[in-house]
Amino acid sequence: MKLRFPHPYSLIAILLLFVLMVQARLWAPYWDTRNVQAILTWDAMGYYLYLPAQFIYHDLSQMHFAADIMREYGPSGSFYQAAQVPGGPEGHLVMKYTCGLAILWTPFFWLGHWAAGWLHYPQDGFAAPYQIAIAFGGLLYGLLGLGLLRRVLLRYYSDVVTTLVLVTLVLGSNYFQYAVFDAAMAHSALFTLYALLLWLTVRWHERPTRLGALAIGLTLGLMVLIRPSEAVAAVLPVLWGVGSVAAARQKLALLITRWPDVLLLGLGGLLGVLPQALYWKWATGHFLFYSYGDQHFSFLHPHTWDVLFSFRKGWLIYSPLLLLPLAGLLVLWRRHRAVAVPVLAFFLLNLWVVSAWDIWWYGGSLGQRALVQSYAVLALPWAAAVAWLLEPGRRPLVRVAAAVLAVLLVDLNLFSHWQYMRSIISPEEMNRRYFFAVFNNTMPTQADYNLLDVKAHLPKPERYYRPQSLGKLDFENQAPDPASGISVDVGYYSRQSFHADAAHAYGPAVAVPLESAGLRPGQFVRASCRVFSDYGAWGNRLVLSVDRAGKPVVWEAIRLQNNLSVNRAWNRVYFDVPLPADARPDDVLKVYVLSENASSCYIDDVQAELMKPATDW
């Protein structure tokens, strides 16, 4: 009897994974928050902006509405998603990002637009119904991608192997972040298009058709329309089936014989990128236009080591389970050479292009987000490694060890996602010191967060030190004055504090001559203050410097906003720095707040303390 669903395990796995992804999205919705944590923010706003600009405001050229959106929703720190057209009329803008993702979001945009009117939300393109529609649209594209990838894997591997690959890929890598929480970014949609490209490529090589060739070209064109660097995907259909020199000759003969298919593939690619060429021609007067300003590729100096292994954004540091498909490339090479060649060629070429981007960390992300879409291709060597582990002759101990390790790495990955969503893992500024300080840590301390900014910390736990005050500013006895920044709006003990804002970049300093305080080289000094803000003291820093003849010989600073901060409450921020080995008696220790290009906040109790070891008691 033929089963209605011949591969039930992988089908059930996809459905359960989708339920889990929806549940995770509901756990951290963020679609009704008017800040940078909403769905349509930062780069995602740039990809999406074509839709409200064209269909709601009818202002794709100057985008006068953008100022109102920035003021109302605060989707990013600045409006960088569009820029002045070089040499064009003043005020005429061109989008930074290409329009491919906007095309994919179009049905969900209209769904959100209808829902906004029905539910009496502003039909402005950014209200909650739009955020929800795009969020769940991303989830549906993710489901489609997993379904297509399942069909590709089942062409070569068993249902059990396919199931294990899908489960570990979703739960064991940063794909989960971009299929669920950051689904409005390009990566999950591109993952789906890579899966579609593989499926179309396999089908064409099994049974070549002109319609199949056109579909491959259109898919490639849409991928380039989303991110031009995805042009590297073209090596997959070109090299597919080429496992030897003889196979390469046969492939070339096939392409010559079916030259209309090749022309249709090229035509599909051109049709795919045509919308962007037409937009650029309309906006700038040129069919081709580089919209990324001073951001470029350095192909002769790629940042490959940083992309793979740095603690800032190392791919294998934050997704160590991805070592499995890399090992699987060896298995795939031995057993499916015709598949291994295009996969390996794509992986190396894509890694080179990703690493060559000058901003190799790709902004705020969990791990290396620029490689997420390539997981659809890496699923093939991933499956090869899993199949090797499940072979009948494999030792049970090897299987058990692999299973235990996989479970631990999946657990680590999901915990890393939790840390990232709780802002414990920093989106942009991770380093080795902080990485190990928060590893497997649910409640980092102020001292842990300081490691994002400074290298030093107390050699022993704080209980082994006795603070001795060196100087303090509480602003209580100073006359309120808008010119000086002394304010009576709010205070820690009294009603007075220092108002740090654009007009008062440098706060009053606690100044302590080293000689008069009896300070010696190597001693640890603590800088601290109290900070109050409505929505976070973003961009503000607490500074400790050691000045010599008016110039700093030591300058250290930490941010005033971290995961411990509570809005509309007084938060204590502090850090510890050792005095330099060459410190002189006439050097001056200073502690103050720096607020250049920062948000408004109130500062109180600026203080410098000597951290005396308990042995000095």
Side-chain angles (χ1 to χ4, degrees):
M1 180 179 176
K2 187 176 180 180
L3 294 175
R4 184 175 179 85
F5 300 105
H7 306 290
Y9 299 123
S10 54
L11 180 61
I12 293 172
I14 285 180
L15 295 176
L16 291 177
L17 287 170
F18 181 69
V19 171
L20 176 63
M21 291 160 66
V22 171
Q23 180 60 46
R25 176 74 272 179
L26 294 174
W27 166 66
Y30 291 141
W31 46 63
D32 199 22
T33 55
R34 285 176 164 80
N35 58 40
V36 294
Q37 288 183 317
I39 305 299
L40 300 172
T41 57
W42 300 102
D43 293 3
M45 175 188 175
Y47 287 111
Y48 168 82
L49 198 57
Y50 290 90
L51 296 172
Q54 177 63 27
F55 297 116
I56 296 179
Y57 301 100
H58 310 291
D59 183 13
L60 195 58
S61 176
Q62 295 181 306
M63 286 178 269
H64 294 294
F65 67 92
D68 293 333
I69 297 300
M70 294 295 293
R71 181 170 53 254
E72 176 68 17
Y73 295 96
S76 58
S78 62
F79 184 61
Y80 66 89
Q81 293 84 355
Q84 170 69 39
V85 176
E90 182 66 27
H92 284 243
L93 306 179
V94 59
M95 297 287 192
K96 177 178 181 179
Y97 300 98
T98 48
C99 65
L101 206 56
I103 292 175
L104 291 183
W105 292 140
T106 299
F108 303 102
F109 163 79
W110 284 115
L111 178 62
H113 191 66
W114 167 81
W118 184 51
L119 297 172
H120 306 293
Y121 278 84
Q123 289 184 302
D124 59 5
F126 289 85
Y130 299 93
Q131 308 270 355
I132 295 171
I134 297 300
F136 281 94
L139 287 170
L140 289 175
Y141 278 128
L143 176 64
L144 175 62
L146 294 176
L148 289 168
L149 182 58
R150 170 180 175 265
R151 298 193 67 174
V152 172
L153 292 175
L154 287 173
R155 298 283 179 129
Y156 301 97
Y157 299 100
S158 69
D159 191 28
V160 172
V161 170
T162 299
T163 300
L164 291 175
V165 170
L166 292 172
V167 170
T168 52
L169 188 154
V170 173
L171 302 182
S173 74
N174 56 343
Y175 168 81
F176 192 79
Q177 177 69 30
Y178 294 95
V180 178
F181 305 115
D182 290 324
M185 295 289 285
H187 309 289
S188 178
L190 283 169
F191 175 95
T192 297
L193 290 174
Y194 268 103
L196 176 60
L197 178 65
L198 289 173
W199 183 61
L200 292 171
T201 298
V202 170
R203 283 173 59 92
W204 188 89
H205 283 80
E206 291 175 349
R207 186 181 177 184
T209 65
R210 294 179 181 179
L211 182 60
L214 179 64
I216 290 174
L218 285 171
T219 302
L220 284 170
L222 182 55
M223 294 168 71
V224 173
L225 191 62
I226 294 175
R227 281 170 62 103
S229 59
E230 303 306 325
V232 297
V235 303
L236 291 167
V238 170
L239 295 180
W240 198 264
V242 179
S244 63
V245 175
R249 295 194 185 101
Q250 293 174 1
K251 180 67 174 287
L252 181 60
L254 175 64
L255 294 179
I256 293 174
T257 302
R258 300 197 61 86
W259 61 266
D261 293 38
V262 177
L263 290 180
L264 284 171
L265 188 152
L267 177 62
L270 290 176
L271 289 175
V273 300
L274 183 60
Q276 191 64 42
L278 293 176
Y279 165 73
W280 278 336
K281 179 64 175 176
W282 172 81
T284 71
H286 306 282
F287 284 110
L288 291 177
F289 176 75
Y290 189 77
S291 58
Y292 278 75
D294 58 355
Q295 299 174 359
H296 298 281
F297 288 96
S298 298
F299 289 109
L300 298 180
H301 303 283
H303 307 271
T304 308
W305 178 266
D306 291 323
V307 166
L308 292 177
F309 300 113
S310 72
F311 284 92
R312 183 175 189 178
K313 287 292 176 65
W315 182 47
L316 297 176
I317 295 295
Y318 291 93
S319 296
L321 191 58
L322 270 300
L323 285 168
L324 184 62
L326 296 188
L329 283 169
L330 297 175
V331 181
L332 194 66
W333 185 266
R334 291 178 179 179
R335 301 186 180 181
H336 298 286
R337 186 70 58 87
V339 175
V341 168
V343 169
L344 180 61
F346 164 78
F347 172 72
L348 294 177
L349 181 60
N350 185 55
L351 178 62
W352 178 46
V353 172
V354 167
S355 303
W357 187 239
D358 289 340
I359 308 175
W360 60 266
W361 58 95
Y362 290 87
S365 65
L366 176 60
Q368 190 53 246
R369 66 180 172 91
L371 291 171
V372 167
Q373 52 264 39
S374 68
Y375 297 170
V377 180
L378 291 178
L380 290 163
W382 203 316
V386 173
W388 180 87
L389 288 168
L390 295 181
E391 286 179 348
R394 203 64 56 214
R395 293 182 179 181
L397 183 61
V398 174
R399 294 181 181 178
V400 171
V404 170
L405 182 60
V407 170
L408 291 175
L409 292 180
V410 165
D411 178 70
L412 175 63
N413 181 70
L414 294 177
F415 181 68
S416 296
H417 279 72
W418 180 87
Q419 286 186 308
Y420 182 75
M421 295 303 291
R422 288 287 187 266
S423 300
I424 294 174
I425 290 180
S426 173
E428 286 201 65
E429 300 165 320
M430 293 293 291
N431 56 52
R432 180 192 298 269
R433 303 179 303 276
Y434 183 70
F435 177 88
F436 286 109
V438 301
F439 185 81
N440 203 33
N441 190 343
T442 60
M443 298 181 65
T445 65
Q446 176 68 50
D448 294 329
Y449 284 114
N450 291 344
L451 296 176
L452 284 170
D453 300 308
V454 296
K455 297 180 179 180
H457 57 85
L458 293 174
K460 296 181 180 180
E462 189 172 336
R463 65 180 180 272
Y464 293 105
Y465 296 85
R466 176 168 58 87
Q468 176 182 311
S469 180
L470 299 173
K472 181 178 180 180
L473 287 175
D474 57 18
F475 310 108
E476 291 185 13
N477 298 320
Q478 300 184 40
D481 183 4
S484 66
I486 305 302
S487 169
V488 295
D489 294 339
V490 64
Y492 180 58
Y493 279 121
S494 66
R495 290 294 300 175
Q496 292 195 177
S497 61
F498 172 73
H499 187 197
D501 57 12
H504 306 95
Y506 290 85
V510 174
V512 181
L514 268 59
E515 184 175 29
S516 64
L519 297 176
R520 302 186 303 273
Q523 289 182 310
F524 273 83
V525 176
R526 170 167 293 181
S528 66
C529 72
R530 302 277 179 175
V531 57
F532 181 100
S533 61
D534 290 328
Y535 304 107
W538 300 103
N540 294 278
R541 290 180 289 176
L542 177 64
V543 178
L544 183 150
S545 68
V546 176
D547 291 2
R548 181 175 301 160
K551 296 182 179 180
V553 294
V554 170
W555 194 95
E556 299 283 359
I558 64 165
R559 67 202 70 193
L560 294 187
Q561 181 73 22
N562 60 48
N563 201 43
L564 299 175
S565 302
V566 179
N567 291 341
R568 300 199 60 79
W570 282 101
N571 302 283
R572 183 171 182 261
V573 179
Y574 66 87
F575 69 109
D576 305 298
V577 174
L579 295 175
D582 62 344
R584 300 176 183 176
D586 57 345
D587 290 343
V588 177
L589 171 73
K590 290 184 178 180
V591 176
Y592 59 94
V593 168
L594 180 63
S595 304
E596 292 179 313
N597 300 317
S599 59
S600 171
C601 66
Y602 294 90
I603 304 298
D604 209 346
D605 286 6
V606 180
Q607 187 169 196
E609 297 173 290
L610 172 64
M611 301 301 289
K612 298 184 66 175
T615 54
D616 291 350
W617 290 11

